[in-house]
Amino acid sequence: MTTTRFAPSPTGYIHIGNLRTALMNYLIARKAGGTFILRIDDTDPERSKEEYVDGIKQDLEWLGLHWDRIERQSLRLDQYADAADKLRDMGRFYEAFETPTELDLKRKKQLNMGKPPVYDRAALVLSDAEKDALRTERGAGVWRFKLDRERIEWADGILGDISIDAASVSDPVLIRGDGQILYTLASVVDDTEMGVTNVVRGSDHVTNTATQIQIINALGGTVPAFAHHSLLTGPQGEALSKRLGTLALRDLRESGVQPAALLSLMARLGSSDPVELHTDMADLIEGFDISRFGSAPTKFDADDLYPLTARYLAGLSLADVAEEISAAGVPDDMAAQFWDVTRENITTLKDIAPWWVMMRDGAEPQIDDEDREFVADALALLPDGAFDATTWGTWTGAVKEKTGRKGRGLFMPLRKALTGQSHGPDMSMLMPLLQTVKARE
Ligand code: GLU
């Protein structure tokens, strides 16, 4: 059965970069009728925070990306220790004692000699007595996985055929000197034991994948299908700025972006399929095809989220937004009319309240100098009594007759005088809602 996982480290909130990872894994699982696991990669007790675990769950729930199972690496340390023992027994695991400074020096020397900075395996030739001495002097060493120096190949779901020479990669450290299990091992053990069949993650993980394939094979697991999506860039192809690269979903939510907009954009961005608003998750799932994604860096522009949000909101029924409309102070008997008038004229739900304030309290009129007299004449012609859908037509007809103005020169100054804005809803529909104009004098 198809099983995928989203495996964030709870060292921060979900941001726009890892939303793609979450979404792709989710869509693959759902399309195949499989299982989507939320795996919390919390083997680092210092950096992992419970508040981020909660935040990640809230963000996924807000988006409607429901998981079938949740797993926490911090509860599986015994399994990782067992796997480490297995690798030790197989002779694929060795202890190394170099300090970070020593490793750095080695790397620099190699680079100076024009060689790739690959760990030289000096620890492999240490005798037991030498290791004991180092352990006494420096404490426990790190544990490295001994790679087979051969080519590692896989058919990547996005990048195509990949071949990496293991000799160009350092033997990965899987356990730190303080005993902390590192992600590279924990992830392999989990993927194997949890039956993960498909792994989608960022292309910054390609080298990890090469080493993890060897570890999976050493542990007798089944290698999942890997796909590495490209990383996001800014709208001009520039590296995503720090601000944008870590743009948290909760900040987007705070700024009024709707889940449907985010999902619609991120599920198609970087693929050959057009970005369209999908309000139904089933459509997103149905139309998702990982093979349609390209390997080139993907341009992301947060501004694209707003037209999609606006389109989503315009399609909502009164019942969907009744709460927001009532919270803005719109009387119940005007709610339907209010929504009809504003639905096409808001970008986010935050725009609802200002519209109502304008209708209720009136706007600061915008009157150009050359229109001052015209507007004064026009206002004097405003009909008395209740406004209805015919008021605007009747009124502007009378103004036209009196002033001789027509078209834009007639309508625009009146719109600006009454609403304080040069754009907005159809004036015929808006007039009956303008409380202050109605109650003038
Ligand atoms: N915790 C890892 C990360 O956030 C997971 C990578 C993976 O998907 O294997 O980068």
Side-chain angles (χ1 to χ4, degrees):
M1 176 165 76
T2 299
T3 301
T4 66
R5 77 324 189 259
F6 172 50
S9 308
T11 54
Y13 294 113
I14 301 182
H15 51 78
I16 196 74
N18 53 14
L19 166 62
R20 259 184 128 196
T21 313
L23 186 53
M24 288 180 169
N25 283 295
Y26 173 85
L27 293 171
I28 289 174
R30 289 290 170 266
K31 190 163 182 180
T35 302
F36 176 61
I37 301 174
L38 171 60
R39 189 184 83 199
I40 305 293
D41 284 5
D42 57 351
T43 55
D44 181 342
E46 262 146 49
R47 296 181 59 226
S48 301
K49 300 253 179 317
E50 233 21 64
E51 98 184 67
Y52 293 127
V53 176
D54 294 340
I56 289 166
K57 290 192 208 163
Q58 285 160 6
D59 289 345
L60 292 177
E61 275 164 3
W62 174 65
L63 288 167
L65 303 183
H66 305 295
W67 54 92
D68 303 301
R69 247 167 84 187
I70 181 161
E71 298 281 354
R72 293 189 68 139
Q73 291 195 323
S74 56
L75 300 177
R76 296 178 39 81
L77 300 180
D78 290 348
Q79 278 88 335
Y80 309 142
D82 287 350
D85 285 342
K86 220 166 146 186
L87 294 174
R88 253 178 228 115
D89 292 346
M90 261 179 248
R92 294 296 296 273
F93 222 19
Y94 62 97
E95 201 175 1
F97 297 90
E98 286 89 351
T99 63
T101 321
E102 284 168 348
L103 288 173
D104 207 38
L105 211 67
K106 285 187 188 204
R107 270 194 294 267
K108 283 191 180 127
K109 273 192 194 159
Q110 286 167 314
L111 287 170
N112 276 341
M113 294 187 322
K115 288 187 184 163
V118 176
Y119 176 61
D120 63 6
R121 295 184 164 173
L124 266 183
V125 296
L126 293 174
S127 67
D128 285 348
E130 285 170 321
K131 283 191 210 167
D132 283 344
L134 281 165
R135 225 173 269 127
T136 313
E137 187 195 316
R138 303 181 171 188
V142 303
W143 286 85
R144 287 183 183 266
F145 176 73
K146 187 165 171 262
L147 290 167
D148 275 334
R149 292 197 157 160
E150 59 190 23
R151 293 204 82 84
I152 305 166
E153 306 193 318
W154 74 92
D156 194 279
I158 294 175
L159 303 177
D161 288 338
I162 299 283
S163 170
I164 290 181
D165 184 359
S168 68
V169 181
S170 294
D171 290 339
V173 173
L174 302 189
I175 303 182
R176 289 201 329 198
D178 63 4
Q180 189 183 310
I181 303 282
L182 291 184
Y183 145 81
T184 313
L185 174 62
S187 184
V188 158
V189 172
D190 292 344
D191 287 342
T192 301
E193 292 184 6
M194 295 172 194
V196 170
T197 56
N198 299 68
V199 173
V200 183
R201 55 190 179 191
S203 49
D204 49 335
H205 279 291
V206 166
T207 309
N208 275 339
T209 298
T211 59
Q212 286 182 336
I213 285 176
Q214 281 207 3
I215 304 170
I216 295 168
N217 285 331
L219 291 172
T222 307
V223 176
F226 282 102
H228 296 84
H229 60 71
S230 65
L231 300 182
L232 297 178
T233 70
Q236 259 71 54
E238 72 278 21
L240 261 198
S241 63
K242 186 94 188 100
R243 193 190 66 77
L244 214 56
T246 56
L247 191 60
L249 294 199
R250 49 195 48 220
D251 296 336
L252 290 170
R253 175 171 63 197
E254 190 51 38
S255 69
V257 166
Q258 287 287 323
L262 249 180
L263 295 171
S264 296
L265 182 66
M266 298 316 283
R268 298 290 186 267
L269 195 69
S271 79
S272 48
D273 294 316
V275 172
E276 286 161 355
L277 178 69
H278 291 278
T279 53
D280 190 352
M281 186 74 89
D283 293 337
L284 274 185
I285 295 169
E286 184 55 38
F288 181 76
D289 181 353
I290 192 111
S291 71
R292 297 173 71 84
F293 284 79
S295 57
T298 302
K299 290 182 183 152
F300 168 76
D301 188 346
D303 288 347
D304 292 342
L305 292 166
Y306 295 94
L308 287 166
T309 294
R311 212 168 314 147
Y312 169 78
L313 294 178
L316 292 184
S317 70
L318 176 61
D320 295 326
V321 287
E323 218 172 285
E324 283 80 3
I325 290 183
S326 153
V330 180
D332 285 351
D333 61 344
M334 287 190 185
Q337 212 181 348
F338 173 85
W339 183 234
D340 259 0
V341 166
T342 49
R343 63 195 306 156
E344 304 272 357
N345 290 281
I346 54 173
T347 304
T348 72
L349 289 173
K350 290 178 192 215
D351 298 334
I352 285 182
W355 274 121
W356 175 244
V357 170
M358 187 280 283
M359 294 172 195
R360 188 192 56 202
D361 302 343
E364 182 65 39
Q366 257 195 45
I367 306 173
D368 297 337
D369 278 345
E370 69 269 25
D371 292 329
R372 231 161 258 293
E373 214 185 305
F374 163 74
V375 169
D377 287 349
L379 289 180
L381 291 173
L382 261 174
D384 290 328
F387 288 176
D388 62 24
T390 65
T391 306
W392 174 255
T394 322
W395 178 43
T396 51
V399 175
K400 183 176 171 185
E401 204 161 297
K402 167 116 199 270
T403 65
R405 285 212 195 191
K406 50 184 195 282
R408 208 183 140 79
L410 167 68
F411 301 125
M412 188 53 83
L414 298 181
R415 174 188 286 282
K416 281 161 65 179
L418 295 188
T419 70
Q421 298 181 46
S422 52
H423 57 86
D426 183 287
M427 286 302 291
S428 320
M429 286 170 74
L430 187 60
M431 287 297 278
L433 287 163
L434 297 178
Q435 312 297 300
T436 318
V437 179
K438 264 197 283 192
R440 76 201 181 285
E441 284 162 352

